Amino acid sequence: MPKLHMLHSVTNTINTSFILQSETSTIVIDGGFPTEADYLYNYLKNLGGHVDCWYLTHIHDDHVSAMTKIAEDHPDIQIDRVCCNFPAGELIDAWEPMQGKVTSSAVRTWVMDTLAAKAIPVITPKCGDIHDYDGFSVRVLRDPHEELCRNINDSSLVYRVTVGETSLLFLGDLGVAGGKQLLHDTDPALIKADYVQMAHHGQNGVSREVYEAIRPSYCLWCTPTWLWDNMGPGGYDTNQFKTVIVRGWMSEIGGIKRHYLMQEGDHVIEL
């Protein structure tokens, strides 16, 4: 039976790290900061050390760097290919010049140069592409629309995974504009999903209308406790984040059977 592994953060930070595994196929979605790489490496080793495809949603450091560190430092993890579609470096820098202490385009260069140096094939997906594996398939619902994007988060690819009759939607860090475009351009039947990865770690991502269209039964929150509770100087819900608002949306939309919280530790979900 295929399984979804949702990994926690070993450093108590935002961390989007998923592994889908059947008896003969393994894919990874994002992976987290470089500080998560050692944990993810050991986890993959325990699953056999072979990745059929590593899917990246967008070029932010907290989504691509664990993969890049593993590719650099651990050749015993066999990565057959990487699936990504990043905007050009100059466009990325126009949107967001810096990520921490480095330019955003430098993060892009690090990823792509590492994959080239390690001779790991890169596929550039387009909307509508379908990748079939033993036990599940991945469909690309959205690729970066440079004329519609104004920031890196809205360059996020959206992946829809189907396992038999079960569907999972991975939104990356998609924001309001990207979510609006997703609703406009996508068959509503493909947006509806049983599981949804909450966009942008559950705060300041897509609008409520996107979640109303998805109507999930299960929500996947890549959200540490401090973000889940929007902890600030005054305690609960006194910081700038919108997580508590989004939690309220999901309660009002209804039909949620379970919220999977990263803060609870690793989850292994049979699909």
Side-chain angles (χ1 to χ4, degrees):
M1 175 180 291
K3 297 178 181 178
L4 174 68
H5 302 257
M6 176 179 169
L7 275 57
H8 79 292
S9 168
V10 297
T11 57
N12 191 35
T13 190
I14 51 177
N15 185 50
T16 302
S17 186
F18 293 97
I19 303 167
L20 280 133
Q21 183 190 39
S22 67
E23 289 188 4
T24 61
S25 299
T26 300
I27 67 169
V28 182
I29 298 175
D30 287 345
F33 282 111
T35 49
E36 311 290 336
D38 287 345
Y39 185 79
L40 179 53
Y41 161 73
N42 287 310
Y43 203 100
L44 289 170
K45 283 290 286 185
N46 288 333
L47 295 180
H50 175 234
V51 177
D52 293 270
C53 187
W54 203 307
Y55 289 85
L56 301 174
T57 57
H58 64 295
I59 195 56
H60 272 151
D61 194 31
D62 60 309
H63 292 257
V64 301
S65 294
M67 181 281 299
T68 311
K69 284 287 291 179
I70 289 172
E72 278 186 336
D73 299 340
H74 299 290
D76 51 326
I77 298 294
Q78 180 184 337
I79 303 172
D80 287 353
R81 58 181 182 168
V82 169
C83 179
C84 60
N85 190 341
F86 303 141
E90 59 270 20
L91 188 56
I92 289 172
D93 277 341
W95 292 337
E96 183 182 286
M98 301 297 292
Q99 288 190 51
K101 297 180 179 180
V102 298
T103 65
S104 297
S105 60
V107 176
R108 184 189 194 281
T109 298
W110 177 45
V111 173
M112 301 309 292
D113 285 356
T114 298
L115 296 176
K118 300 299 180 180
I120 298 173
V122 176
I123 57 173
T124 304
K126 295 295 183 183
C127 183
D129 287 357
I130 298 174
H131 305 157
D132 290 320
Y133 302 91
D134 171 49
F136 56 89
S137 67
V138 180
R139 180 170 185 149
V140 182
L141 293 191
R142 182 181 188 275
D143 57 40
H145 288 244
E146 294 187 0
E147 69 278 9
L148 299 177
C149 293
R150 293 297 180 267
N151 58 68
I152 292 176
N153 283 344
D154 270 335
S155 74
S156 293
L157 280 77
V158 173
Y159 299 114
R160 176 184 172 86
V161 178
T162 55
V163 182
E165 298 299 316
T166 301
S167 53
L168 306 92
L169 205 60
F170 295 89
L171 298 174
D173 278 359
L174 201 64
V176 171
K180 182 178 180 180
Q181 179 259 322
L182 178 70
L183 289 179
H184 181 270
D185 291 353
T186 309
D187 181 345
L190 295 176
I191 293 177
K192 175 70 182 76
D194 301 298
Y195 291 79
V196 63
Q197 171 249 314
M198 304 299 290
H200 199 211
H201 311 279
Q203 75 86 30
N204 203 26
V206 298
S207 66
R208 175 176 175 149
E209 289 72 22
V210 175
Y211 294 119
E212 289 175 338
I214 297 169
R215 288 278 172 180
S217 297
Y218 304 95
C219 298
L220 308 171
W221 295 81
C222 304
T223 310
T225 302
W226 55 266
L227 182 56
W228 171 257
D229 288 333
N230 189 30
M231 295 298 291
Y236 177 81
D237 201 22
T238 60
N239 212 325
Q240 62 181 327
F241 305 109
K242 299 180 180 180
T243 328
V244 175
I245 294 172
V246 178
R247 289 166 58 181
W249 294 350
M250 304 316 293
S251 178
E252 292 168 0
I253 291 170
I256 307 299
K257 297 178 180 179
R258 179 170 177 181
H259 294 282
Y260 288 93
L261 308 180
M262 186 188 74
Q263 59 186 280
E264 298 169 335
D266 297 334
H267 292 284
V268 182
I269 305 166
E270 292 189 351
L271 301 172

